[in-house]
Amino acid sequence: MVPRHLIDPWYRAIFVRRSVRAYDGRPVGREAIGEIRELLDGFSPLCEGARAVLLEEGAQEILSGTVGSIGKIQGAGAVVVFIADKSHPQWQAAAGYLGEGIILHATSLGLGTCWVAGTYKRSEARRRIALSVSESIVAVTPLGRPAAAESAGAQVIRAVAGSHNRKPLETLTRGVAADQWRLGCREALEAARLAPSAANRQPWQFGVMPDRVVVRASGPGLMPVVPNRLDCGIVMLHLEVGARAHGLEGSWTFLQRPLVAEYVFEPAGDP
Ligand SMILES: Cc1cc2nc3c(=O)[nH]c(=O)nc-3n(C[C@H](O)[C@H](O)[C@H](O)COP(=O)(O)O)c2cc1C
């Protein structure tokens, strides 16, 4: 579970986070770097199977895009590389959960971020990091102060992905009628709905019961680059933060495919 003191800042960050692809070129401050470093090896048992590395050198080489200037991220002061241990059964969800925690924390510090799983130079990241045989780089994020204006390429990506659009809650939820949802459950689901996903596919569904929410992966995924369960790890973090920001404490259990995990609420206290 996310440490209690991080719930409120991360909840607020959910509503201001967006993918930032143009930065002002300045280095990231020491204090922010220090805070982010504390999260790199994980902040919860759910992060097991993933880790992250923060690089203050070489951000531009890693983020220089794939084809010409498509996907190019400009002016980032640092980069965080997300690594999964593929021998761990939950590596995809763990990488999403860990990565989004780091991204929301950076957002809470006023930094811009952007999940990047496709449009970066993997070989440049690989060259700078020692990986074990079962580890693989799954994505990166730039870190830095957002620039005043976005490049034309970034605007194209944002428009193609329809980045601001989110599916309505009604199409994402199954299970009991909304009037039987526990207090705080709607807010938790709204926070989940705002989660970023590769190409903004939002490949998740929520089975809502009076005592739990079941997260299920839906759709074909963006394989081989981004498995749906990576996106689902991201949405799990948003769901938990949203629930706990509204007093809905609970615990996670991983489930068999195509289900991902369920968040079971603690029993309601006496009114
Ligand atoms: C796992 C993952 C991989 C992504 N990969 C890329 C990428 O390779 N290049 C890119 O420009 N954006 C990438 N994105 C950013 C998404 O396009 C973006 O999150 C989505 O359109 C929603 O927009 P928002 O983050 O501004 O809310 C990725 C996002 C996620 C979650």
Side-chain angles (χ1 to χ4, degrees), residues 17-21 71 73 100 114-120 139 157-158 161-166 194-201 225-226 230-231 234:
R17 186 214 57 81
R18 64 184 178 87
S19 291
V20 175
R21 298 183 178 86
I73 305 245
E100 187 64 3
C114 180
W115 274 96
V116 181
T119 53
Y120 72 106
I157 290 188
R158 184 181 294 282
S163 290
H164 295 308
N165 302 336
R166 290 295 187 273
L194 296 177
S197 56
N200 202 21
R201 291 161 311 128
V225 182
V226 189
L230 175 63
D231 289 315
I234 297 175

PDB file of all heavy atoms in Angstrom, residues 17-21 71 73 100 114-120 139 157-158 161-166 194-201 225-226 230-231 234, ligand 1:
ATOM      1  N   ARG A  17      -1.925  16.168 -13.199  1.00  0.00           N
ATOM      2  CA  ARG A  17      -0.958  15.474 -14.060  1.00  0.00           C
ATOM      3  C   ARG A  17      -1.438  15.414 -15.503  1.00  0.00           C
ATOM      4  O   ARG A  17      -2.606  15.203 -15.774  1.00  0.00           O
ATOM      5  CB  ARG A  17      -0.742  14.038 -13.544  1.00  0.00           C
ATOM      6  CG  ARG A  17       0.368  13.272 -14.278  1.00  0.00           C
ATOM      7  CD  ARG A  17       0.050  11.801 -14.392  1.00  0.00           C
ATOM      8  NE  ARG A  17      -1.216  11.603 -15.053  1.00  0.00           N
ATOM      9  CZ  ARG A  17      -1.389  11.642 -16.385  1.00  0.00           C
ATOM     10  NH1 ARG A  17      -0.361  11.846 -17.190  1.00  0.00           N
ATOM     11  NH2 ARG A  17      -2.597  11.492 -16.922  1.00  0.00           N
ATOM     12  N   ARG A  18      -0.544  15.621 -16.420  1.00  0.00           N
ATOM     13  CA  ARG A  18      -0.787  15.374 -17.840  1.00  0.00           C
ATOM     14  C   ARG A  18       0.567  15.076 -18.449  1.00  0.00           C
ATOM     15  O   ARG A  18       1.597  15.400 -17.844  1.00  0.00           O
ATOM     16  CB  ARG A  18      -1.443  16.580 -18.524  1.00  0.00           C
ATOM     17  CG  ARG A  18      -0.564  17.793 -18.515  1.00  0.00           C
ATOM     18  CD  ARG A  18      -1.230  19.016 -19.110  1.00  0.00           C
ATOM     19  NE  ARG A  18      -0.310  20.151 -19.012  1.00  0.00           N
ATOM     20  CZ  ARG A  18       0.605  20.454 -19.915  1.00  0.00           C
ATOM     21  NH1 ARG A  18       0.738  19.719 -21.015  1.00  0.00           N
ATOM     22  NH2 ARG A  18       1.407  21.481 -19.750  1.00  0.00           N
ATOM     23  N   SER A  19       0.596  14.461 -19.600  1.00  0.00           N
ATOM     24  CA  SER A  19       1.882  14.143 -20.210  1.00  0.00           C
ATOM     25  C   SER A  19       2.532  15.412 -20.733  1.00  0.00           C
ATOM     26  O   SER A  19       1.925  16.142 -21.514  1.00  0.00           O
ATOM     27  CB  SER A  19       1.685  13.145 -21.354  1.00  0.00           C
ATOM     28  OG  SER A  19       1.296  11.896 -20.830  1.00  0.00           O
ATOM     29  N   VAL A  20       3.760  15.657 -20.291  1.00  0.00           N
ATOM     30  CA  VAL A  20       4.501  16.855 -20.702  1.00  0.00           C
ATOM     31  C   VAL A  20       5.643  16.411 -21.611  1.00  0.00           C
ATOM     32  O   VAL A  20       6.446  15.558 -21.232  1.00  0.00           O
ATOM     33  CB  VAL A  20       5.048  17.603 -19.466  1.00  0.00           C
ATOM     34  CG1 VAL A  20       5.916  18.782 -19.887  1.00  0.00           C
ATOM     35  CG2 VAL A  20       3.901  18.066 -18.568  1.00  0.00           C
ATOM     36  N   ARG A  21       5.698  16.974 -22.817  1.00  0.00           N
ATOM     37  CA  ARG A  21       6.721  16.554 -23.780  1.00  0.00           C
ATOM     38  C   ARG A  21       7.703  17.670 -24.120  1.00  0.00           C
ATOM     39  O   ARG A  21       8.607  17.475 -24.925  1.00  0.00           O
ATOM     40  CB  ARG A  21       6.052  16.002 -25.043  1.00  0.00           C
ATOM     41  CG  ARG A  21       5.201  14.751 -24.751  1.00  0.00           C
ATOM     42  CD  ARG A  21       4.576  14.143 -25.989  1.00  0.00           C
ATOM     43  NE  ARG A  21       3.816  12.929 -25.682  1.00  0.00           N
ATOM     44  CZ  ARG A  21       2.534  12.911 -25.293  1.00  0.00           C
ATOM     45  NH1 ARG A  21       1.859  14.040 -25.178  1.00  0.00           N
ATOM     46  NH2 ARG A  21       1.931  11.765 -25.022  1.00  0.00           N
ATOM     47  N   GLY A  71       7.691  11.988 -31.424  1.00  0.00           N
ATOM     48  CA  GLY A  71       7.823  11.497 -30.060  1.00  0.00           C
ATOM     49  C   GLY A  71       8.982  12.111 -29.317  1.00  0.00           C
ATOM     50  O   GLY A  71       9.255  11.751 -28.177  1.00  0.00           O
ATOM     51  N   ILE A  73      11.111  14.214 -26.985  1.00  0.00           N
ATOM     52  CA  ILE A  73      10.825  14.969 -25.768  1.00  0.00           C
ATOM     53  C   ILE A  73      11.962  15.963 -25.605  1.00  0.00           C
ATOM     54  O   ILE A  73      13.131  15.573 -25.619  1.00  0.00           O
ATOM     55  CB  ILE A  73      10.756  14.010 -24.567  1.00  0.00           C
ATOM     56  CG1 ILE A  73       9.743  12.903 -24.858  1.00  0.00           C
ATOM     57  CG2 ILE A  73      10.532  14.759 -23.270  1.00  0.00           C
ATOM     58  CD1 ILE A  73       8.539  12.801 -24.050  1.00  0.00           C
ATOM     59  N   GLU A 100       3.836   4.869 -11.684  1.00  0.00           N
ATOM     60  CA  GLU A 100       2.845   5.937 -11.512  1.00  0.00           C
ATOM     61  C   GLU A 100       3.011   6.609 -10.150  1.00  0.00           C
ATOM     62  O   GLU A 100       2.750   7.812 -10.020  1.00  0.00           O
ATOM     63  CB  GLU A 100       1.426   5.390 -11.701  1.00  0.00           C
ATOM     64  CG  GLU A 100       0.340   6.453 -11.715  1.00  0.00           C
ATOM     65  CD  GLU A 100       0.417   7.451 -12.889  1.00  0.00           C
ATOM     66  OE1 GLU A 100       1.283   7.311 -13.772  1.00  0.00           O
ATOM     67  OE2 GLU A 100      -0.399   8.387 -12.896  1.00  0.00           O
ATOM     68  N   CYS A 114       6.138  12.195 -18.320  1.00  0.00           N
ATOM     69  CA  CYS A 114       5.390  11.560 -19.411  1.00  0.00           C
ATOM     70  C   CYS A 114       5.819  10.100 -19.488  1.00  0.00           C
ATOM     71  O   CYS A 114       7.001   9.817 -19.704  1.00  0.00           O
ATOM     72  CB  CYS A 114       5.696  12.256 -20.745  1.00  0.00           C
ATOM     73  SG  CYS A 114       4.817  11.555 -22.161  1.00  0.00           S
ATOM     74  N   TRP A 115       4.902   9.182 -19.279  1.00  0.00           N
ATOM     75  CA  TRP A 115       5.220   7.771 -19.527  1.00  0.00           C
ATOM     76  C   TRP A 115       5.641   7.635 -20.987  1.00  0.00           C
ATOM     77  O   TRP A 115       4.914   8.092 -21.882  1.00  0.00           O
ATOM     78  CB  TRP A 115       3.981   6.905 -19.329  1.00  0.00           C
ATOM     79  CG  TRP A 115       3.693   6.452 -17.948  1.00  0.00           C
ATOM     80  CD1 TRP A 115       2.850   7.035 -17.054  1.00  0.00           C
ATOM     81  CD2 TRP A 115       4.214   5.277 -17.302  1.00  0.00           C
ATOM     82  NE1 TRP A 115       2.817   6.302 -15.892  1.00  0.00           N
ATOM     83  CE2 TRP A 115       3.642   5.219 -16.020  1.00  0.00           C
ATOM     84  CE3 TRP A 115       5.116   4.271 -17.688  1.00  0.00           C
ATOM     85  CZ2 TRP A 115       3.934   4.195 -15.116  1.00  0.00           C
ATOM     86  CZ3 TRP A 115       5.408   3.262 -16.795  1.00  0.00           C
ATOM     87  CH2 TRP A 115       4.823   3.232 -15.525  1.00  0.00           C
ATOM     88  N   VAL A 116       6.773   7.014 -21.241  1.00  0.00           N
ATOM     89  CA  VAL A 116       7.203   6.781 -22.627  1.00  0.00           C
ATOM     90  C   VAL A 116       7.670   5.332 -22.729  1.00  0.00           C
ATOM     91  O   VAL A 116       8.690   4.959 -22.151  1.00  0.00           O
ATOM     92  CB  VAL A 116       8.350   7.733 -23.033  1.00  0.00           C
ATOM     93  CG1 VAL A 116       8.745   7.478 -24.489  1.00  0.00           C
ATOM     94  CG2 VAL A 116       7.950   9.188 -22.845  1.00  0.00           C
ATOM     95  N   ALA A 117       6.882   4.512 -23.444  1.00  0.00           N
ATOM     96  CA  ALA A 117       7.256   3.105 -23.593  1.00  0.00           C
ATOM     97  C   ALA A 117       7.712   2.798 -25.011  1.00  0.00           C
ATOM     98  O   ALA A 117       8.334   1.767 -25.257  1.00  0.00           O
ATOM     99  CB  ALA A 117       6.077   2.203 -23.227  1.00  0.00           C
ATOM    100  N   GLY A 118       7.380   3.699 -25.952  1.00  0.00           N
ATOM    101  CA  GLY A 118       7.712   3.405 -27.343  1.00  0.00           C
ATOM    102  C   GLY A 118       8.716   4.377 -27.935  1.00  0.00           C
ATOM    103  O   GLY A 118       9.737   3.971 -28.496  1.00  0.00           O
ATOM    104  N   THR A 119       8.449   5.664 -27.794  1.00  0.00           N
ATOM    105  CA  THR A 119       9.203   6.669 -28.543  1.00  0.00           C
ATOM    106  C   THR A 119      10.434   7.167 -27.778  1.00  0.00           C
ATOM    107  O   THR A 119      10.573   8.354 -27.503  1.00  0.00           O
ATOM    108  CB  THR A 119       8.284   7.852 -28.896  1.00  0.00           C
ATOM    109  OG1 THR A 119       7.663   8.321 -27.691  1.00  0.00           O
ATOM    110  CG2 THR A 119       7.213   7.434 -29.872  1.00  0.00           C
ATOM    111  N   TYR A 120      11.319   6.229 -27.432  1.00  0.00           N
ATOM    112  CA  TYR A 120      12.594   6.625 -26.815  1.00  0.00           C
ATOM    113  C   TYR A 120      13.664   5.657 -27.295  1.00  0.00           C
ATOM    114  O   TYR A 120      13.353   4.623 -27.893  1.00  0.00           O
ATOM    115  CB  TYR A 120      12.493   6.625 -25.284  1.00  0.00           C
ATOM    116  CG  TYR A 120      12.432   5.247 -24.663  1.00  0.00           C
ATOM    117  CD1 TYR A 120      13.534   4.705 -23.995  1.00  0.00           C
ATOM    118  CD2 TYR A 120      11.282   4.472 -24.742  1.00  0.00           C
ATOM    119  CE1 TYR A 120      13.481   3.439 -23.428  1.00  0.00           C
ATOM    120  CE2 TYR A 120      11.225   3.203 -24.176  1.00  0.00           C
ATOM    121  CZ  TYR A 120      12.322   2.693 -23.526  1.00  0.00           C
ATOM    122  OH  TYR A 120      12.272   1.438 -22.976  1.00  0.00           O
ATOM    123  N   ALA A 139       9.811   1.184 -19.663  1.00  0.00           N
ATOM    124  CA  ALA A 139       9.404   2.542 -20.040  1.00  0.00           C
ATOM    125  C   ALA A 139      10.336   3.533 -19.355  1.00  0.00           C
ATOM    126  O   ALA A 139      11.152   3.149 -18.502  1.00  0.00           O
ATOM    127  CB  ALA A 139       7.952   2.806 -19.622  1.00  0.00           C
ATOM    128  N   ILE A 157       1.027  14.349 -31.168  1.00  0.00           N
ATOM    129  CA  ILE A 157       0.833  13.144 -30.349  1.00  0.00           C
ATOM    130  C   ILE A 157      -0.375  13.317 -29.434  1.00  0.00           C
ATOM    131  O   ILE A 157      -1.219  12.437 -29.307  1.00  0.00           O
ATOM    132  CB  ILE A 157       2.093  12.848 -29.509  1.00  0.00           C
ATOM    133  CG1 ILE A 157       3.209  12.388 -30.439  1.00  0.00           C
ATOM    134  CG2 ILE A 157       1.809  11.789 -28.445  1.00  0.00           C
ATOM    135  CD1 ILE A 157       4.435  11.892 -29.731  1.00  0.00           C
ATOM    136  N   ARG A 158      -0.468  14.479 -28.820  1.00  0.00           N
ATOM    137  CA  ARG A 158      -1.583  14.745 -27.897  1.00  0.00           C
ATOM    138  C   ARG A 158      -2.920  14.652 -28.639  1.00  0.00           C
ATOM    139  O   ARG A 158      -3.876  14.050 -28.167  1.00  0.00           O
ATOM    140  CB  ARG A 158      -1.407  16.143 -27.299  1.00  0.00           C
ATOM    141  CG  ARG A 158      -2.444  16.512 -26.262  1.00  0.00           C
ATOM    142  CD  ARG A 158      -2.187  17.915 -25.758  1.00  0.00           C
ATOM    143  NE  ARG A 158      -0.932  18.013 -25.032  1.00  0.00           N
ATOM    144  CZ  ARG A 158      -0.772  17.598 -23.786  1.00  0.00           C
ATOM    145  NH1 ARG A 158      -1.767  17.064 -23.136  1.00  0.00           N
ATOM    146  NH2 ARG A 158       0.389  17.708 -23.184  1.00  0.00           N
ATOM    147  N   ALA A 161      -3.634  10.913 -29.797  1.00  0.00           N
ATOM    148  CA  ALA A 161      -4.007  10.056 -28.664  1.00  0.00           C
ATOM    149  C   ALA A 161      -5.302  10.537 -28.005  1.00  0.00           C
ATOM    150  O   ALA A 161      -5.884   9.832 -27.191  1.00  0.00           O
ATOM    151  CB  ALA A 161      -2.873  10.018 -27.636  1.00  0.00           C
ATOM    152  N   GLY A 162      -5.778  11.737 -28.359  1.00  0.00           N
ATOM    153  CA  GLY A 162      -6.969  12.284 -27.695  1.00  0.00           C
ATOM    154  C   GLY A 162      -6.726  12.341 -26.198  1.00  0.00           C
ATOM    155  O   GLY A 162      -7.547  11.912 -25.386  1.00  0.00           O
ATOM    156  N   SER A 163      -5.558  12.898 -25.827  1.00  0.00           N
ATOM    157  CA  SER A 163      -5.036  12.730 -24.469  1.00  0.00           C
ATOM    158  C   SER A 163      -5.967  13.172 -23.347  1.00  0.00           C
ATOM    159  O   SER A 163      -5.897  12.661 -22.250  1.00  0.00           O
ATOM    160  CB  SER A 163      -3.722  13.486 -24.338  1.00  0.00           C
ATOM    161  OG  SER A 163      -2.745  12.834 -25.101  1.00  0.00           O
ATOM    162  N   HIS A 164      -6.833  14.150 -23.638  1.00  0.00           N
ATOM    163  CA  HIS A 164      -7.670  14.644 -22.536  1.00  0.00           C
ATOM    164  C   HIS A 164      -8.952  13.827 -22.381  1.00  0.00           C
ATOM    165  O   HIS A 164      -9.677  13.989 -21.415  1.00  0.00           O
ATOM    166  CB  HIS A 164      -8.010  16.118 -22.751  1.00  0.00           C
ATOM    167  CG  HIS A 164      -6.796  16.991 -22.694  1.00  0.00           C
ATOM    168  ND1 HIS A 164      -5.910  16.954 -21.637  1.00  0.00           N
ATOM    169  CD2 HIS A 164      -6.299  17.896 -23.562  1.00  0.00           C
ATOM    170  CE1 HIS A 164      -4.927  17.804 -21.859  1.00  0.00           C
ATOM    171  NE2 HIS A 164      -5.131  18.384 -23.018  1.00  0.00           N
ATOM    172  N   ASN A 165      -9.240  12.973 -23.354  1.00  0.00           N
ATOM    173  CA  ASN A 165     -10.501  12.230 -23.302  1.00  0.00           C
ATOM    174  C   ASN A 165     -10.394  11.046 -22.358  1.00  0.00           C
ATOM    175  O   ASN A 165      -9.384  10.364 -22.325  1.00  0.00           O
ATOM    176  CB  ASN A 165     -10.861  11.705 -24.694  1.00  0.00           C
ATOM    177  CG  ASN A 165     -10.972  12.832 -25.705  1.00  0.00           C
ATOM    178  OD1 ASN A 165     -11.226  13.967 -25.323  1.00  0.00           O
ATOM    179  ND2 ASN A 165     -10.757  12.522 -26.964  1.00  0.00           N
ATOM    180  N   ARG A 166     -11.458  10.810 -21.617  1.00  0.00           N
ATOM    181  CA  ARG A 166     -11.524   9.599 -20.806  1.00  0.00           C
ATOM    182  C   ARG A 166     -12.891   8.971 -21.018  1.00  0.00           C
ATOM    183  O   ARG A 166     -13.890   9.668 -21.218  1.00  0.00           O
ATOM    184  CB  ARG A 166     -11.336   9.917 -19.312  1.00  0.00           C
ATOM    185  CG  ARG A 166      -9.919  10.362 -18.926  1.00  0.00           C
ATOM    186  CD  ARG A 166      -8.881   9.272 -19.132  1.00  0.00           C
ATOM    187  NE  ARG A 166      -7.560   9.626 -18.614  1.00  0.00           N
ATOM    188  CZ  ARG A 166      -6.615  10.294 -19.291  1.00  0.00           C
ATOM    189  NH1 ARG A 166      -6.855  10.712 -20.524  1.00  0.00           N
ATOM    190  NH2 ARG A 166      -5.449  10.549 -18.730  1.00  0.00           N
ATOM    191  N   LEU A 194      -8.938   8.749 -14.434  1.00  0.00           N
ATOM    192  CA  LEU A 194      -8.009   9.767 -14.936  1.00  0.00           C
ATOM    193  C   LEU A 194      -6.604   9.216 -15.184  1.00  0.00           C
ATOM    194  O   LEU A 194      -5.706   9.942 -15.615  1.00  0.00           O
ATOM    195  CB  LEU A 194      -7.919  10.928 -13.932  1.00  0.00           C
ATOM    196  CG  LEU A 194      -9.219  11.712 -13.727  1.00  0.00           C
ATOM    197  CD1 LEU A 194      -9.020  12.791 -12.664  1.00  0.00           C
ATOM    198  CD2 LEU A 194      -9.679  12.344 -15.042  1.00  0.00           C
ATOM    199  N   ALA A 195      -6.399   7.932 -14.909  1.00  0.00           N
ATOM    200  CA  ALA A 195      -5.048   7.363 -15.052  1.00  0.00           C
ATOM    201  C   ALA A 195      -4.589   7.448 -16.510  1.00  0.00           C
ATOM    202  O   ALA A 195      -5.392   7.287 -17.431  1.00  0.00           O
ATOM    203  CB  ALA A 195      -5.051   5.914 -14.582  1.00  0.00           C
ATOM    204  N   PRO A 196      -3.289   7.667 -16.711  1.00  0.00           N
ATOM    205  CA  PRO A 196      -2.766   7.643 -18.085  1.00  0.00           C
ATOM    206  C   PRO A 196      -2.613   6.204 -18.562  1.00  0.00           C
ATOM    207  O   PRO A 196      -2.442   5.288 -17.754  1.00  0.00           O
ATOM    208  CB  PRO A 196      -1.393   8.305 -17.942  1.00  0.00           C
ATOM    209  CG  PRO A 196      -0.971   7.996 -16.539  1.00  0.00           C
ATOM    210  CD  PRO A 196      -2.245   7.955 -15.718  1.00  0.00           C
ATOM    211  N   SER A 197      -2.694   6.002 -19.869  1.00  0.00           N
ATOM    212  CA  SER A 197      -2.457   4.674 -20.444  1.00  0.00           C
ATOM    213  C   SER A 197      -1.806   4.866 -21.803  1.00  0.00           C
ATOM    214  O   SER A 197      -1.920   5.940 -22.406  1.00  0.00           O
ATOM    215  CB  SER A 197      -3.776   3.910 -20.590  1.00  0.00           C
ATOM    216  OG  SER A 197      -4.692   4.661 -21.364  1.00  0.00           O
ATOM    217  N   ALA A 198      -1.136   3.821 -22.283  1.00  0.00           N
ATOM    218  CA  ALA A 198      -0.445   3.918 -23.567  1.00  0.00           C
ATOM    219  C   ALA A 198      -1.467   4.228 -24.654  1.00  0.00           C
ATOM    220  O   ALA A 198      -2.503   3.559 -24.749  1.00  0.00           O
ATOM    221  CB  ALA A 198       0.279   2.612 -23.860  1.00  0.00           C
ATOM    222  N   ALA A 199      -1.190   5.247 -25.462  1.00  0.00           N
ATOM    223  CA  ALA A 199      -2.086   5.707 -26.529  1.00  0.00           C
ATOM    224  C   ALA A 199      -3.489   6.016 -25.997  1.00  0.00           C
ATOM    225  O   ALA A 199      -4.458   6.023 -26.749  1.00  0.00           O
ATOM    226  CB  ALA A 199      -2.151   4.696 -27.677  1.00  0.00           C
ATOM    227  N   ASN A 200      -3.576   6.261 -24.717  1.00  0.00           N
ATOM    228  CA  ASN A 200      -4.841   6.618 -24.045  1.00  0.00           C
ATOM    229  C   ASN A 200      -5.946   5.589 -24.301  1.00  0.00           C
ATOM    230  O   ASN A 200      -7.117   5.933 -24.419  1.00  0.00           O
ATOM    231  CB  ASN A 200      -5.304   8.019 -24.483  1.00  0.00           C
ATOM    232  CG  ASN A 200      -6.263   8.646 -23.477  1.00  0.00           C
ATOM    233  OD1 ASN A 200      -6.300   8.249 -22.304  1.00  0.00           O
ATOM    234  ND2 ASN A 200      -7.044   9.607 -23.921  1.00  0.00           N
ATOM    235  N   ARG A 201      -5.565   4.276 -24.362  1.00  0.00           N
ATOM    236  CA  ARG A 201      -6.569   3.249 -24.655  1.00  0.00           C
ATOM    237  C   ARG A 201      -7.464   2.939 -23.458  1.00  0.00           C
ATOM    238  O   ARG A 201      -8.506   2.334 -23.612  1.00  0.00           O
ATOM    239  CB  ARG A 201      -5.883   1.954 -25.117  1.00  0.00           C
ATOM    240  CG  ARG A 201      -5.214   2.068 -26.481  1.00  0.00           C
ATOM    241  CD  ARG A 201      -4.198   0.956 -26.638  1.00  0.00           C
ATOM    242  NE  ARG A 201      -3.365   0.917 -25.437  1.00  0.00           N
ATOM    243  CZ  ARG A 201      -3.134  -0.163 -24.717  1.00  0.00           C
ATOM    244  NH1 ARG A 201      -3.646  -1.309 -25.062  1.00  0.00           N
ATOM    245  NH2 ARG A 201      -2.368  -0.097 -23.641  1.00  0.00           N
ATOM    246  N   VAL A 225       4.936  -3.665 -27.183  1.00  0.00           N
ATOM    247  CA  VAL A 225       5.522  -2.553 -26.421  1.00  0.00           C
ATOM    248  C   VAL A 225       4.906  -2.420 -25.031  1.00  0.00           C
ATOM    249  O   VAL A 225       5.608  -2.333 -24.035  1.00  0.00           O
ATOM    250  CB  VAL A 225       5.368  -1.226 -27.208  1.00  0.00           C
ATOM    251  CG1 VAL A 225       6.013  -0.088 -26.450  1.00  0.00           C
ATOM    252  CG2 VAL A 225       5.993  -1.353 -28.580  1.00  0.00           C
ATOM    253  N   VAL A 226       3.577  -2.392 -24.954  1.00  0.00           N
ATOM    254  CA  VAL A 226       2.945  -2.146 -23.658  1.00  0.00           C
ATOM    255  C   VAL A 226       1.865  -3.191 -23.373  1.00  0.00           C
ATOM    256  O   VAL A 226       0.794  -3.171 -23.983  1.00  0.00           O
ATOM    257  CB  VAL A 226       2.299  -0.742 -23.602  1.00  0.00           C
ATOM    258  CG1 VAL A 226       1.861  -0.437 -22.182  1.00  0.00           C
ATOM    259  CG2 VAL A 226       3.257   0.323 -24.084  1.00  0.00           C
ATOM    260  N   LEU A 230       0.414  -3.574 -17.560  1.00  0.00           N
ATOM    261  CA  LEU A 230       1.220  -2.422 -17.134  1.00  0.00           C
ATOM    262  C   LEU A 230       0.288  -1.224 -16.901  1.00  0.00           C
ATOM    263  O   LEU A 230       0.332  -0.567 -15.859  1.00  0.00           O
ATOM    264  CB  LEU A 230       2.274  -2.097 -18.194  1.00  0.00           C
ATOM    265  CG  LEU A 230       3.120  -0.847 -17.969  1.00  0.00           C
ATOM    266  CD1 LEU A 230       3.962  -0.971 -16.711  1.00  0.00           C
ATOM    267  CD2 LEU A 230       4.038  -0.597 -19.159  1.00  0.00           C
ATOM    268  N   ASP A 231      -0.583  -0.955 -17.871  1.00  0.00           N
ATOM    269  CA  ASP A 231      -1.574   0.113 -17.694  1.00  0.00           C
ATOM    270  C   ASP A 231      -2.437  -0.165 -16.460  1.00  0.00           C
ATOM    271  O   ASP A 231      -2.814   0.754 -15.733  1.00  0.00           O
ATOM    272  CB  ASP A 231      -2.482   0.210 -18.925  1.00  0.00           C
ATOM    273  CG  ASP A 231      -1.759   0.773 -20.150  1.00  0.00           C
ATOM    274  OD1 ASP A 231      -1.038   1.759 -20.005  1.00  0.00           O
ATOM    275  OD2 ASP A 231      -1.934   0.218 -21.246  1.00  0.00           O
ATOM    276  N   ILE A 234      -0.983   0.945 -13.303  1.00  0.00           N
ATOM    277  CA  ILE A 234      -1.137   2.405 -13.157  1.00  0.00           C
ATOM    278  C   ILE A 234      -2.518   2.715 -12.578  1.00  0.00           C
ATOM    279  O   ILE A 234      -2.665   3.500 -11.636  1.00  0.00           O
ATOM    280  CB  ILE A 234      -0.953   3.100 -14.527  1.00  0.00           C
ATOM    281  CG1 ILE A 234       0.463   2.865 -15.056  1.00  0.00           C
ATOM    282  CG2 ILE A 234      -1.284   4.582 -14.429  1.00  0.00           C
ATOM    283  CD1 ILE A 234       0.712   3.401 -16.468  1.00  0.00           C
TER     284      ILE A 234
HETATM  285  C1  LIG B   1       2.486   2.791 -20.414  1.00  0.00           C
HETATM  286  C2  LIG B   1       2.435   4.064 -21.221  1.00  0.00           C
HETATM  287  C3  LIG B   1       3.234   4.209 -22.338  1.00  0.00           C
HETATM  288  C4  LIG B   1       3.242   5.424 -23.061  1.00  0.00           C
HETATM  289  N1  LIG B   1       4.102   5.564 -24.123  1.00  0.00           N
HETATM  290  C5  LIG B   1       4.187   6.768 -24.763  1.00  0.00           C
HETATM  291  C6  LIG B   1       5.154   6.962 -25.801  1.00  0.00           C
HETATM  292  O1  LIG B   1       5.896   6.057 -26.171  1.00  0.00           O
HETATM  293  N2  LIG B   1       5.244   8.195 -26.362  1.00  0.00           N
HETATM  294  C7  LIG B   1       4.452   9.241 -25.966  1.00  0.00           C
HETATM  295  O2  LIG B   1       4.601  10.350 -26.485  1.00  0.00           O
HETATM  296  N3  LIG B   1       3.488   9.076 -24.990  1.00  0.00           N
HETATM  297  C8  LIG B   1       3.360   7.872 -24.383  1.00  0.00           C
HETATM  298  N4  LIG B   1       2.436   7.698 -23.363  1.00  0.00           N
HETATM  299  C9  LIG B   1       1.579   8.824 -22.931  1.00  0.00           C
HETATM  300  C10 LIG B   1       0.108   8.627 -23.337  1.00  0.00           C
HETATM  301  O3  LIG B   1      -0.074   8.919 -24.705  1.00  0.00           O
HETATM  302  C11 LIG B   1      -0.760   9.540 -22.451  1.00  0.00           C
HETATM  303  O4  LIG B   1      -0.596   9.164 -21.108  1.00  0.00           O
HETATM  304  C12 LIG B   1      -2.247   9.455 -22.806  1.00  0.00           C
HETATM  305  O5  LIG B   1      -2.473   9.955 -24.114  1.00  0.00           O
HETATM  306  C13 LIG B   1      -3.099  10.273 -21.821  1.00  0.00           C
HETATM  307  O6  LIG B   1      -2.686  11.615 -21.803  1.00  0.00           O
HETATM  308  P1  LIG B   1      -2.266  12.330 -20.452  1.00  0.00           P
HETATM  309  O7  LIG B   1      -1.095  11.540 -19.888  1.00  0.00           O
HETATM  310  O8  LIG B   1      -1.879  13.732 -20.844  1.00  0.00           O
HETATM  311  O9  LIG B   1      -3.442  12.259 -19.509  1.00  0.00           O
HETATM  312  C14 LIG B   1       2.389   6.490 -22.663  1.00  0.00           C
HETATM  313  C15 LIG B   1       1.560   6.319 -21.544  1.00  0.00           C
HETATM  314  C16 LIG B   1       1.582   5.134 -20.822  1.00  0.00           C
HETATM  315  C17 LIG B   1       0.727   5.008 -19.602  1.00  0.00           C
END
